[in-house]
Amino acid sequence: MVQYSLIYEMKQMPGEGRNKMAEQMKYHIAIVGATGAVGQKMLETLEERNVPMASLTLLSSKRSAGKKVPFKGEELTVQEATPHSFEGIDIALFSAGGSISKQLAPEAVKRGAVVVDNTSAFRMDPSVPLVVPEVNEDDIQHHQGIIANPNCSTIQMVAALEPIRKQFGLKRIIVSTYQAVSGAGNVANDELSEQTQAFLNGDDHSPEVLPVKGDQHHYPIAFNALPQIDLFQDNGYTLEEMKMINETKKIMHADELQVAATCVRLPIFTSHAESVYVEVDHDDCSVEAIQQQLVDAPGITLEDDPANQVYPTPLNAANKRDVFVGRIRKDLDHSNGFHLWIVSDNLLKGAAWNSVQIAESIIKHKWFTKK
Amino acid sequence: MVQYSLIYEMKQMPGEGRNKMAEQMKYHIAIVGATGAVGQKMLETLEERNVPMASLTLLSSKRSAGKKVPFKGEELTVQEATPHSFEGIDIALFSAGGSISKQLAPEAVKRGAVVVDNTSAFRMDPSVPLVVPEVNEDDIQHHQGIIANPNCSTIQMVAALEPIRKQFGLKRIIVSTYQAVSGAGNVANDELSEQTQAFLNGDDHSPEVLPVKGDQHHYPIAFNALPQIDLFQDNGYTLEEMKMINETKKIMHADELQVAATCVRLPIFTSHAESVYVEVDHDDCSVEAIQQQLVDAPGITLEDDPANQVYPTPLNAANKRDVFVGRIRKDLDHSNGFHLWIVSDNLLKGAAWNSVQIAESIIKHKWFTKK
């Protein structure tokens, strides 16, 4: 409680004094949606990264409240998230669905917390920074209480393309995704494993979750490919595809960047892969020059040695924080066109780790104050 | 045996007389590689299509010789393929690997057979027609004994794009594939099912087949994606990717057509899917106009109704002969750019059915004579 009071007093101080105190401080962090697929990864990541925490509050829906979750050798009890849950919280990591974020993120902000929101609720709000730290970390400081974590498939793509964009410019992106089911939550993981076993046994299995929970029809994912992630929009694109298109432009501050996406769900538990075609601005770009940019880039692991069959795969990328890039080839017809294969753990860099990175950045730069 | 002699005599006749007799005739067909994944599908397809056959000879390696195979209620015994096996054969469907084709196809031709070869042995030989009947059926008549069946992933793509090319012209193709393991044969099917079961049980399973039998390294395919099909070439592309690029240009007689491909193997037993971006020549093209071309096109089933979640999937396309097309969208930045999702059974249209189609075309048009 001493800790709590200190934090509370600190919150009452004007920006600079508060930041000064924060330097010697640890923070009270909350996870909203602590029992979900992403929430669990947030916990693991906080534990691994040793974020300077005074306290950790785990919040969830009423249904999951009371569950016990291990953290650093202790057991934490998950509490029901209410507006009052955010009293004294410095940073709240939200990953409990868009409607929860819409309802509770403003309440958290009202109570002085900075919200890092992993849902799509605020991503395209012009007043909310949409951040992949490797690309636009500086945007965080302009927040008005909420910072949005982009869509999983977008994060890994922009993280891999930013070093190329910086050096050679970027005119156009055409991406086809190979996405894991865990992006649709633990229920989708369960559906994939149960359905796969039924298929191998020659038994029937009625799909109830994928491609989109709550949509009219459900199709089998076991040994199949579903070219639908999220709901269809009037223009024939899915919401996932429009997220990749719109979020990429916002994160890169590049309205004129041409982005096209086709998003496909596959029978893979973890890690999204992406076949990406890019056109760069400069004519003097080469495969070697791109490799050189990527090998030194933060958060990127280059795995690109075809002669030795070295390239990224979803299984190898799982449970790792980096974005893996390989299969870099020059287009055979366009000298400024290149093809890449980008893979990353959709629950880590695609969600939990990127959120924790934003939290670490807020702490490191003392960007708690609303602008 | 009477039938055999008749066919034999017919072979000795000059072209026209032979074709005249052929009208009243049935044909002696051979399948080389009858016990393989594609060979089995050739048998099924010949049975379903009621190709006018006097006789069917099943050939294989020495190892598989002696096996019994059901056909139209009878049991056929597989024989070892030797040069003499082709005496009296009218049409020989080869699908037993490139080296067998290289060795035995010329022997078959020497003995008067027309060879439809499903391997890559002769595909890029300028004297050998490379045929997808919906695209370039007429090329068959210029054969010098051998007609090549294209690569599976190429066939379904060109079959779907030809109606668009005919009406609107085609400038550029960028394709990312989602390919089934059965393209790598029955051993790959077995590896996928055994490995998947081991994975679900939490057991180890050492990959020995995929991505490429005989390559240095093998990687798990269960719940994974492998961006390698066939061996890597010096330019960083795989052979599968180069096949798609080169074969597409040859089939469409379009050297200037720009084609780029990224080929990926997935944990799917049957049917390849493809995310395809095309740029057409005409500026007045629309999604509706493309749908109109495809709905009437031979061998194509349009499945494109996003509002009702109607789109092709590998499971739905399996065991069907058509190529299924959906998710047709206009590019948001390029008015002559379109995205499509193309799915077909890789063992049927991608191999067995396309070969039988060529055989049917030879019979129908009496294109037995070498040019």
Side-chain angles (χ1 to χ4, degrees), chain A residues 172 219 237 277 309 334, chain B residues 172 219 258 277 309 330:
Chain A
R172 185 176 196 183
Y219 305 122
Y237 287 77
Y277 169 76
Q309 289 179 271
H334 291 255
Chain B
R172 185 175 197 185
Y219 305 122
Q258 299 167 7
Y277 170 75
Q309 287 179 271
K330 194 168 201 147

Side-chain angles (χ1 to χ4, degrees), chain A residues 172 174-178 192-193 196-197 199-201 211-212 215-228 232-233 235-238 241-242 245 249 256-264 266-270 273 275-277 279 306-316 327-334 337 339-341, chain B residues 172 174-178 192-193 196-197 199-201 211-212 215-228 232-233 235-238 241-242 245 249 256-264 266-270 273 275-277 279 306-316 327-334 337 339-341:
Chain A
R172 185 176 196 183
I174 300 176
V175 54
S176 297
T177 70
Y178 300 67
L192 173 58
S193 50
T196 302
Q197 188 61 67
F199 191 105
L200 290 175
N201 294 348
V212 181
D215 207 348
Q216 319 160 62
H217 304 288
H218 298 291
Y219 305 122
I221 186 68
F223 307 109
N224 205 10
L226 301 178
Q228 181 192 359
F232 279 103
Q233 309 298 290
N235 65 357
Y237 287 77
T238 60
E241 288 158 358
M242 292 312 301
I245 293 167
K249 296 180 190 198
E256 74 298 340
L257 179 61
Q258 298 165 9
V259 189
T262 300
C263 292
V264 181
L266 292 172
I268 294 172
F269 287 105
T270 311
S275 169
V276 180
Y277 169 76
E279 264 168 39
N308 291 304
Q309 289 179 271
V310 173
Y311 40 71
T313 66
L315 274 187
N316 279 344
R327 300 283 343 260
I328 306 173
R329 290 153 289 153
K330 194 169 200 147
D331 190 86
L332 299 177
D333 298 297
H334 291 255
H339 302 271
L340 307 93
W341 175 250
Chain B
R172 185 175 197 185
I174 300 174
V175 54
S176 296
T177 71
Y178 300 68
L192 173 58
S193 49
T196 303
Q197 189 59 68
F199 192 104
L200 290 175
N201 295 349
V212 182
D215 207 348
Q216 319 161 62
H217 304 289
H218 299 290
Y219 305 122
I221 186 67
F223 306 108
N224 206 8
L226 301 177
Q228 181 192 0
F232 279 103
Q233 309 299 291
N235 64 358
Y237 287 76
T238 60
E241 289 158 357
M242 292 312 300
I245 293 167
K249 295 180 191 197
E256 74 298 339
L257 178 62
Q258 299 167 7
V259 189
T262 299
C263 292
V264 181
L266 293 172
I268 294 172
F269 287 105
T270 311
S275 168
V276 180
Y277 170 75
E279 264 167 39
N308 291 303
Q309 287 179 271
V310 173
Y311 40 70
T313 66
L315 275 188
N316 280 344
R327 301 278 350 255
I328 305 173
R329 290 152 291 153
K330 194 168 201 147
D331 191 87
L332 299 178
D333 297 299
H334 290 256
H339 302 271
L340 308 91
W341 175 250

